Amino acid sequence: MSGHGKAIPMTARAGGRLSGRAEVPGDKSISHRALILGALAVGETRITGLLEGQDVMDTARAMAAFGAEVTDHGGGAWSVHGLGTGGFAEPEDVIDCGNSGTGVRLIMGAMATSPIAATFTGDASLRARPMGRVTDPLRLFGAEAHGRAGGRLPLTLKGAVTPVPVRYTVPVPSAQVKSAVLLAGLNAPGETMVIEAEATRDHTERMLAGFGAAIRTETTTEGRVITLTGQPELRPQTIAVPRDPSSAAFPVCAALIVEGSDVLVPGIGLNPTRAGLYETLIEMGADLSYENMREEGGEPVADLRARFSPDLRGIEVPAERAPSMIDEYPILSVVASCATGATVMRGVAELRVKESDRIDAMARGLEACGVRVEETRDSFTIHGMGAGGVTGGTVCATHLDHRIAMSFLCLGLATRRPVGVDDAGPIATSFPVFEPLMRALGATLERGAA
Ligand code: S3P
């Protein structure tokens, strides 16, 4: 939902166990990157399992606006005929990235070292998010950025005419910032270096290596040092996008808190830089198992089985785990509400600048459901009420945030009274089949606010 449509209220109520297979869609992070790197390679990249959510579709449209030939072959199969590093053409119109921070930040990086200008915008959520974290390093390459106050969108980026390589230490743990710098470094001569103190998702590095770029990662006392040699000829690839672990988190966590449930999520990506939630859930006593572990397209993949877990315990989630589960704190806070004892999440300040302020959005909704929470700028504590202990009986505000909407709908499957959301529309950005998939597992989801 780009924020322009009519709100879609939705309500979840307890209605028995969840069971069956949950075939969640393709990974959002990998889907964006496949389209963008495909557009920067010379020739045709073929992609299967692409997430056809609105965020990724906005990126597909953007790549076409920069001159790539993007073709939908049906059933998640796409091809991108790329233009080569530095081959982007100047778009004729404004690039609207909808709700997607990943889309806009990666695309800004990809064009920042080409001698073209582009103006970017997005929905109300995206227009409120900080872009200085990306435009600051892009300026070091020689790009110019003119945005609203605080560097916010709409923003015009003029790519560097004579780009220079950059050595940049990312000030916040952010794969989007790291990736924007690496993508900009593709069209700068010499070596671009990115240093990150904490490891964030490494799909860009893996995929750049797959496309034939010279890229290496070393672990030093400063953290991870990634060095990319600029101006490679990227070779087109065949990419099978694994299923999204961040989307899988919703049926998995719902199964853990709904009595009698047993759900299998096949083929989900389990890149260690994304798997922090599952480690946390196991520490909390979740009945989770990995089956059939394998590697597909350079990413580790497994089938994940989740069963109702009546004895979940609150734990302390260490700050250093945050980057590997940054998108999963909303649904973790739902599970924590159904556990006994306190779950303390530290080092989570980044949650305040996601599609919404996710600490605030979850805190207000959980409180309205009868859960006691505590928050500081960078920590979030949930006092769990045990299995079946959460009252519910409210409609939660989702602030154009897909993960807030899905989290409260999962909670409503396990509460004494129904839980509604004011707008389920944004779910289409990342998990367009959430509603039918959850219903097929046995969830009671109804259109409208109860
Ligand atoms: C993403 C990185 C994360 C994450 C987002 C997707 C990516 O953002 O929250 O949903 O694909 O690189 P940050 O890198 O800003 O933490």
Side-chain angles (χ1 to χ4, degrees), residues 28-29 33 102 133 173-176 201 326-327 354:
K28 183 151 72 74
S29 294
R33 287 159 172 80
T102 308
R133 53 177 56 197
S174 170
Q176 294 177 355
R201 64 192 69 192
I326 194 66
D327 291 334
K354 294 292 176 189

Side-chain angles (χ1 to χ4, degrees), residues 96-413:
D96 187 345
C97 289
N99 191 251
S100 181
T102 308
V104 74
R105 292 182 174 131
L106 268 56
I107 296 167
M108 285 200 278
M111 68 142 285
T113 45
S114 293
I116 55 172
T119 300
F120 296 91
T121 193
D123 70 5
S125 155
L126 192 58
R127 281 185 271 116
R129 295 179 67 185
M131 293 297 146
R133 53 177 56 197
V134 171
T135 52
D136 287 350
L138 297 184
R139 284 196 177 97
L140 303 177
F141 286 95
E144 277 178 43
H146 303 278
R148 291 191 301 136
R152 290 184 162 71
L153 302 181
L155 178 154
T156 297
L157 191 64
K158 252 180 98 185
V161 177
T162 323
V164 291
V166 156
R167 184 181 200 277
Y168 190 69
T169 302
V170 184
V172 285
S174 170
Q176 294 177 355
V177 175
K178 169 179 66 177
S179 301
V181 175
L182 290 172
L183 292 171
L186 278 177
N187 199 37
E191 289 192 335
T192 284
M193 288 172 85
V194 190
I195 298 126
E196 55 177 8
E198 295 171 67
T200 63
R201 64 192 69 192
D202 62 357
H203 307 301
T204 304
E205 296 94 302
R206 286 176 189 248
M207 209 182 277
L208 276 169
F211 274 79
I215 182 166
R216 58 178 198 278
T217 301
E218 289 145 293
T219 306
T220 71
T221 47
E222 285 177 281
R224 290 170 84 236
V225 180
I226 305 144
T227 308
L228 170 76
T229 305
Q231 300 179 327
E233 182 169 307
L234 299 179
R235 291 187 300 268
Q237 297 299 299
T238 300
I239 299 171
V241 180
R243 298 181 194 276
D244 197 324
S246 300
S247 296
F250 297 101
V252 163
C253 289
L256 298 180
I257 61 172
V258 174
E259 197 173 340
S261 297
D262 185 350
V263 167
L264 183 76
V265 192
I268 72 157
L270 279 181
N271 181 314
T273 61
R274 295 284 298 281
L277 172 73
Y278 299 109
E279 198 181 329
T280 302
L281 292 172
I282 288 168
E283 285 174 17
M284 292 175 80
D287 186 350
L288 270 185
S289 54
Y290 298 121
E291 296 169 7
N292 195 12
M293 290 181 83
R294 55 207 187 265
E295 180 144 328
E296 282 175 11
E299 294 277 350
V301 162
D303 304 336
L304 192 53
R305 184 159 190 187
R307 296 185 183 89
F308 173 56
S309 305
D311 299 316
L312 293 165
R313 300 173 296 277
I315 62 160
E316 185 147 331
V317 188
E320 54 283 8
R321 199 177 290 163
S324 69
M325 54 178 292
I326 194 66
D327 291 334
E328 281 67 75
Y329 285 98
I331 189 64
L332 175 64
S333 61
V334 164
V335 175
S337 304
C338 302
T340 46
T343 296
V344 185
M345 308 169 218
R346 296 197 196 281
V348 292
E350 276 294 297
L351 294 181
R352 298 207 180 269
V353 291
K354 294 292 176 189
E355 285 82 331
S356 67
D357 175 340
R358 287 181 168 164
I359 297 179
D360 184 69
M362 289 310 299
R364 300 295 80 78
L366 288 174
E367 278 171 346
C369 289
V371 181
R372 192 158 68 82
V373 305
E374 289 163 79
E375 59 178 299
T376 66
R377 193 188 59 82
D378 70 347
S379 75
F380 191 26
T381 301
I382 310 282
H383 295 278
M385 306 186 75
V390 180
T391 315
T394 190
V395 177
C396 302
T398 56
H399 306 283
L400 286 179
D401 190 328
H402 53 134
R403 298 200 201 280
I404 301 299
M406 289 186 277
S407 296
F408 283 121
L409 290 171
C410 288
L411 178 63
L413 302 175

